Amino acid sequence: METEKIIEEFMPLFAPKTVAVIGASTKGTALPNVFIRRIREFGYEGAIYAIHPTATEIDGVPAYKSLADTPEPVDYAFIAIAGAQIAPILGAAKGRLRFAQVISSGFGEVAEGLELQERLVEAARAGGTRLIGPNCLGLYTPRGKVTFTEIGSKETGTVGIVSQSGGLGTDIIRRGFSRGLKFSGLVTVGNCADVTPSELVEFYLADAPTRVIGMYLETARDGRRLFHILRNACASKPVVILKGGRTKQGQTAAASHTGSLAGDERVWLALSRQTGCILVDTLDQFIDVLLAFQTLTPRPRHPLKRVALFGNGGGTSVLATDFYARLGLDVTPFDQGTMDELAGLRLPPGTSITNPVDCPVGTLQQEEGRVAEKILDIMYRSGKPDALVMHLNLSAFAGRSKPEVLDNLVKAALRVQEHYPGQAHFLLVLRSDGEPSLEKRKRDFRAKAVELGVPVYDEMSNAGHALAALQAHENFLHRRAVPTAAAVRT
């Protein structure tokens, strides 16, 4: 489908001008009542209509008996009522509803609901309505000021998500928000009875604000179409897939959750190899990798290989070197010239100046933390790694140094990487032990860093997974000589 047609078809979903809510109670306690409150708090400025058999107003919005009675056609309807009542309501819309998202369950995810789901799809299609779900949780679209969650950024970002699980969709928004992710949209699709994940991927590929796409999938009913879309896209935007049901036990769980036939894992591995999409195994990895693609610009002409590590914690550095090597990332010693320059700083005993550069807290306290800027400058200028990971164990500074030392260390890191734009991917790892005051400082550092385009991770392994995904994406583009979306824009 042409880009303009895709945008035209799906924009009423991502930026609806009119919203209908079906299932709101006059007592104000039902889930649709909560949805009305949430989109108001989120800043939705379009018209909201409640559909109710007897009420004339619910929670301050006008109520109508039918979707055919609203003053204007409806772009998006949030529906949470008994399953058997929904098809007649869609049928009565008489072509005045663009998208219906059915939150209700009891459809194709259970054997006795298959026929009900078929009737639901038939009613939607007969009225020209596209159906999302059923058995899902809702839509989160900052550009449209519509959300089903309590917490989430109001700023439109660059990460587009399709999730077959509503609960995981909530986790992605809430955890992603705390990690610095900003979304162009998130749609929970549940049973995928009509609108499929591949259609939404097609939208995100055409959508200018979206730079990276994430999918939680249990199945792809139109798997061949998804394959062709991803293959034709040639990884122009990174696509990260968290696939549920990759084991026999997981397939059984997926069948129970959304009625999905999850398929053979080898198919998904082949899809990854042939299309360049990134497969991940856990929700943490999913968010880690999305964060890397949100903040870092892939460099396909010079794919990532050499990684330099700098921070406090010798054992942490050794473990990270092993872990990164298993991921295909090289943490090899600097050349003699770089080590001579680092030796010229005359750092205290106990400091290692090969690669990793391991500095005890005493070393990092030199010049109240400003010594980090000199070390990083040499690592960038002379060491010339493809990626540089700076890691600070915040707990090790507690009670041993002035508060401004940590501030100066982080500021030095952010300042130096700005001096070498495009030379190396820079990632910051801020390790802590959960102590409340340290966690607060970490949140403050994280917010500043992400604003400057620096992804922040909790552990070295998180940063390693992100770098490995970035490496895989850059290698795929390099082999195919494919320009990235960012390169095309410039």
Side-chain angles (χ1 to χ4, degrees):
M1 195 185 297
E2 296 175 10
T3 299
E4 293 79 8
K5 289 184 178 178
I6 297 168
I7 297 295
E8 182 182 354
E9 179 178 357
F10 281 94
M11 196 51 77
L13 173 66
F14 287 90
K17 295 178 180 175
T18 48
V19 168
V21 179
I22 303 174
S25 161
T26 54
K27 297 178 181 177
T29 56
L31 180 61
N33 297 86
V34 175
F35 176 72
I36 291 173
R37 175 173 59 79
R38 283 179 176 167
I39 66 173
R40 279 173 164 167
E41 292 172 352
F42 204 53
Y44 182 72
E45 296 177 345
I48 306 174
Y49 308 124
I51 306 300
H52 193 278
T54 57
T56 57
E57 182 180 302
I58 294 177
D59 286 346
V61 305
Y64 301 90
K65 289 184 178 179
S66 164
L67 286 162
D69 299 330
T70 56
E72 300 172 274
V74 173
D75 285 336
Y76 171 78
F78 180 94
I79 303 174
I81 55 175
Q85 299 175 14
I86 301 174
I89 287 177
L90 296 183
K94 299 178 180 177
R96 300 180 80 252
L97 174 61
R98 300 288 292 271
F99 288 91
Q101 186 156 31
V102 176
I103 312 305
S104 317
S105 56
F107 292 91
E109 74 277 12
V110 292
E112 58 271 27
L114 287 170
E115 186 178 340
L116 189 62
Q117 182 164 299
E118 289 177 7
R119 291 205 300 272
L120 183 68
V121 174
E122 288 172 4
R125 289 178 177 167
T129 297
R130 296 304 310 272
L131 174 71
I132 301 171
N135 186 29
C136 55
L137 276 190
L139 167 72
Y140 169 68
T141 170
R143 78 182 90 180
K145 305 299 181 190
V146 173
T147 182
F148 70 96
T149 65
E150 192 77 32
I151 294 175
S153 173
K154 293 183 178 180
E155 183 181 345
T156 300
T158 59
V159 181
I161 301 289
V162 184
S163 176
Q164 215 172 341
S165 164
L168 271 179
T170 305
D171 287 341
I172 292 164
I173 295 169
R174 293 177 66 100
R175 296 188 191 190
F177 179 55
S178 69
R179 300 279 302 281
L181 282 185
K182 293 178 182 174
F183 300 92
S184 58
L186 183 148
V187 186
T188 64
V189 291
N191 295 1
C192 310
D194 179 30
V195 173
T196 63
S198 62
E199 289 183 275
L200 294 167
V201 166
E202 205 168 27
F203 169 80
Y204 286 134
L205 286 167
D207 179 47
T210 302
R211 289 179 53 193
V212 53
I213 300 165
M215 309 173 74
Y216 169 71
L217 293 179
E218 292 179 4
T219 187
R221 186 162 46 82
D222 58 348
R224 184 164 293 280
R225 182 182 180 195
L226 177 63
F227 169 77
H228 286 301
I229 290 170
L230 294 175
R231 187 182 63 179
N232 293 339
C234 293
S236 57
K237 295 183 182 181
V239 177
V240 185
I241 299 178
L242 176 58
K243 175 68 179 66
R246 291 169 68 177
T247 65
K248 186 171 291 185
Q249 293 90 337
Q251 290 165 12
T252 302
S256 173
H257 182 211
T258 55
S260 300
L261 298 175
D264 194 318
E265 181 177 19
R266 292 171 296 182
V267 173
W268 292 95
L269 293 173
L271 179 134
S272 174
R273 282 195 303 272
Q274 294 179 44
T275 67
C277 67
I278 308 294
L279 278 179
V280 296
D281 294 320
T282 68
L283 179 60
D284 278 342
Q285 285 182 22
F286 188 65
I287 292 173
D288 290 340
V289 173
L290 291 173
L291 181 62
F293 284 118
Q294 172 186 277
T295 50
L296 304 175
T297 301
R299 298 181 300 152
R301 292 183 180 177
H302 187 71
L304 193 163
K305 188 168 180 63
R306 294 176 55 245
V307 180
L309 307 181
F310 163 55
N312 65 313
T316 299
S317 297
V318 172
L319 287 174
T321 301
D322 282 340
F323 188 70
Y324 286 23
R326 295 189 192 103
L327 293 173
L329 302 166
D330 285 348
V331 184
T332 51
F334 291 129
D335 60 25
Q336 192 59 50
T338 302
M339 288 193 283
D340 288 345
E341 282 203 54
L342 288 168
L345 294 177
R346 300 185 180 282
L347 299 170
T351 305
S352 172
I353 56 171
T354 57
N355 181 27
V357 175
D358 174 34
C359 298
V361 169
T363 299
L364 293 177
Q365 289 185 114
Q366 299 284 307
E367 303 174 46
E368 294 191 336
R370 295 182 184 84
V371 68
E373 191 158 347
K374 297 176 182 176
I375 296 171
L376 287 167
D377 185 73
I378 293 171
M379 293 174 73
Y380 267 105
R381 176 171 45 76
S382 181
K384 295 188 183 328
D386 301 318
L388 199 157
V389 180
M390 178 174 171
H391 59 100
L392 296 173
N393 182 0
L394 304 185
S395 307
F397 290 85
R400 295 183 58 187
S401 61
K402 300 176 183 177
E404 55 264 34
V405 170
L406 271 176
D407 290 338
N408 290 337
L409 283 168
V410 174
K411 286 178 183 174
L414 301 180
R415 193 161 49 237
V416 172
Q417 63 95 23
E418 285 184 328
H419 293 167
Y420 299 90
Q423 180 173 314
H425 300 302
F426 182 77
L427 297 84
L428 186 59
V429 176
L430 298 177
R431 304 177 60 242
S432 64
D433 54 15
E435 197 278 323
S437 65
L438 289 179
E439 291 300 313
K440 182 182 182 310
R441 297 200 73 186
K442 186 158 78 170
R443 285 196 297 273
D444 293 341
F445 288 140
R446 187 193 301 274
K448 292 176 186 173
V450 172
E451 281 299 317
L452 293 172
V454 174
V456 178
Y457 295 94
D458 293 328
E459 287 292 341
M460 299 296 279
S461 55
N462 300 110
H465 283 300
L467 282 175
L470 188 60
Q471 180 189 53
H473 181 67
E474 289 180 342
N475 279 329
F476 183 86
L477 294 176
H478 183 73
R479 290 194 299 271
R480 301 291 179 94
V482 175
T484 64
V488 169
R489 285 197 300 275
T490 57

